[in-house]
Amino acid sequence: LKCEMLQSCRCRLLSLIWLSGLVAAGSSAPAAWSQAFSSATTEAEADALLRDIGWPISWLSASQVKGVIYHGWWDLAASIVRHANGQAADEDGERSLRIVDGAVREVVGSIRLQADRLAHMLDPTHGKPKSTIRPALRWAQGAEKVFLNVKYAARFNAPGALRVENVDVKFFPKRVTFAADGEHSGTRKRYELDLGTFAAIVPEECSWSSASVGKLSITLVKKKSASWPRLLNSTDKVNNIHLWHEYQEKLQHELHGL
């Protein structure tokens, strides 16, 4: 009974449209038809509203075309594209084709992006760093401070992440730690440092900030003015920690007499 009532209502609507003489190619959609199409709840209902009056593609708005695809009415969407191509023989037809083309490409691109993101989430490691890297750094010192220049790469002369997130820098009396997540060459990486300092520092006075692209600056405040013979309390050589020669030359005068 419900189907018969819907069919009857549609027939009355179509009769009104035909009598109004607005089915001619290039005319704008009657408000009653546009409302009926936008309110369609099934693909068959929406299909009939187009099919029964000869596929007036020019009546469709971009949002209505998008709605067809978002509903998953793929057969109807294919029919709309096919008829839009077939009606592109004049200016109105070409304008309608551009509307359909733009709407389809926008929605399909969005759906593809969301589908790819969903598929990637099936990987238990999705969004997690694939590897942990001890970033390279160089250092220089004055009488009261130590300056660290950290690069988001394993070596200072190697490419690395340009930006990082989840940056976490902590200061302790004789230790500084750094951690951050970044991406390089399409691979998520975790950057971590845990440095035991040669001598004591003042944690509450130490600071850090983003430096140039791909780098981080850390300033350590020495508890006592002194010249440190090395950065770390350990005497083990760390291959990617180097003296910051250019900056050290500017600070060297502070160390005279210490």
Side-chain angles (χ1 to χ4, degrees):
L1 178 60
K2 184 178 179 180
C3 291
E4 291 177 358
M5 291 176 63
L6 287 173
Q7 182 67 24
S8 176
C9 288
R10 189 170 70 247
C11 288
R12 288 198 300 273
L13 174 61
L14 295 177
S15 296
L16 288 173
I17 293 172
W18 277 101
L19 289 173
S20 66
L22 293 174
V23 185
S27 61
S28 59
W33 182 91
S34 185
Q35 181 178 357
F37 187 87
S38 297
S39 302
T41 57
T42 66
E43 184 173 12
E45 184 181 351
D47 182 277
L49 284 166
L50 284 166
R51 183 184 304 277
D52 291 352
I53 50 177
W55 296 93
I57 302 301
S58 63
W59 286 10
L60 291 170
S61 66
S63 61
Q64 287 172 326
V65 176
K66 294 177 185 178
V68 167
I69 303 173
Y70 279 130
H71 276 102
W73 297 343
W74 299 109
D75 289 340
L76 177 56
S79 295
I80 290 173
V81 171
R82 185 169 58 253
H83 284 89
N85 280 317
Q87 295 175 20
D90 55 24
E91 186 176 341
D92 287 330
E94 290 180 356
R95 182 168 57 251
S96 298
L97 178 58
R98 286 195 298 272
I99 291 174
V100 171
D101 182 280
V104 169
R105 293 184 187 278
E106 179 180 339
V107 177
V108 169
S110 175
I111 291 175
R112 182 182 294 117
L113 181 64
Q114 296 298 327
D116 287 345
R117 184 176 293 126
L118 182 61
H120 289 155
M121 290 179 68
L122 293 172
D123 181 356
T125 64
H126 174 69
K128 299 179 181 179
K130 299 292 185 180
S131 60
T132 299
I133 292 176
R134 181 189 178 106
L137 70 85
R138 52 187 180 176
W139 72 287
Q141 64 174 317
E144 299 179 350
K145 296 179 180 180
V146 177
F147 303 92
L148 309 182
N149 186 227
V150 181
K151 181 175 181 179
Y152 308 133
R155 302 185 312 278
F156 239 90
N157 60 352
L162 298 180
R163 289 177 295 275
V164 295
E165 56 190 13
N166 305 321
V167 177
D168 183 29
V169 181
K170 291 185 173 69
F171 302 104
F172 304 91
K174 288 197 67 175
R175 179 167 157 247
V176 56
T177 64
F178 158 78
D181 298 319
E183 183 175 320
H184 177 61
S185 299
T187 302
R188 294 281 293 176
K189 299 180 185 294
R190 177 76 170 174
Y191 299 94
E192 292 183 354
L193 278 175
D194 190 340
L195 306 174
T197 57
F198 173 78
I201 59 176
V202 185
E204 59 272 19
E205 295 183 17
C206 298
S207 61
W208 68 273
S209 64
S210 296
S212 56
V213 176
K215 296 186 180 70
L216 181 89
S217 293
I218 297 176
T219 301
L220 306 178
V221 178
K222 298 176 179 178
K223 189 172 183 178
K224 294 182 178 180
S225 296
S227 176
W228 291 4
R230 59 183 181 273
L231 173 64
L232 306 180
N233 59 358
S234 172
T235 57
D236 295 339
K237 180 176 176 59
V238 181
N239 291 329
N240 64 350
I241 295 181
H242 303 283
L243 185 65
W244 193 353
H245 291 284
E246 311 91 85
Y247 199 20
Q248 189 59 57
E249 288 179 4
K250 297 179 181 179
L251 298 170
Q252 195 62 34
H253 67 279
E254 295 184 19
L255 302 178
H256 291 161
L258 295 179

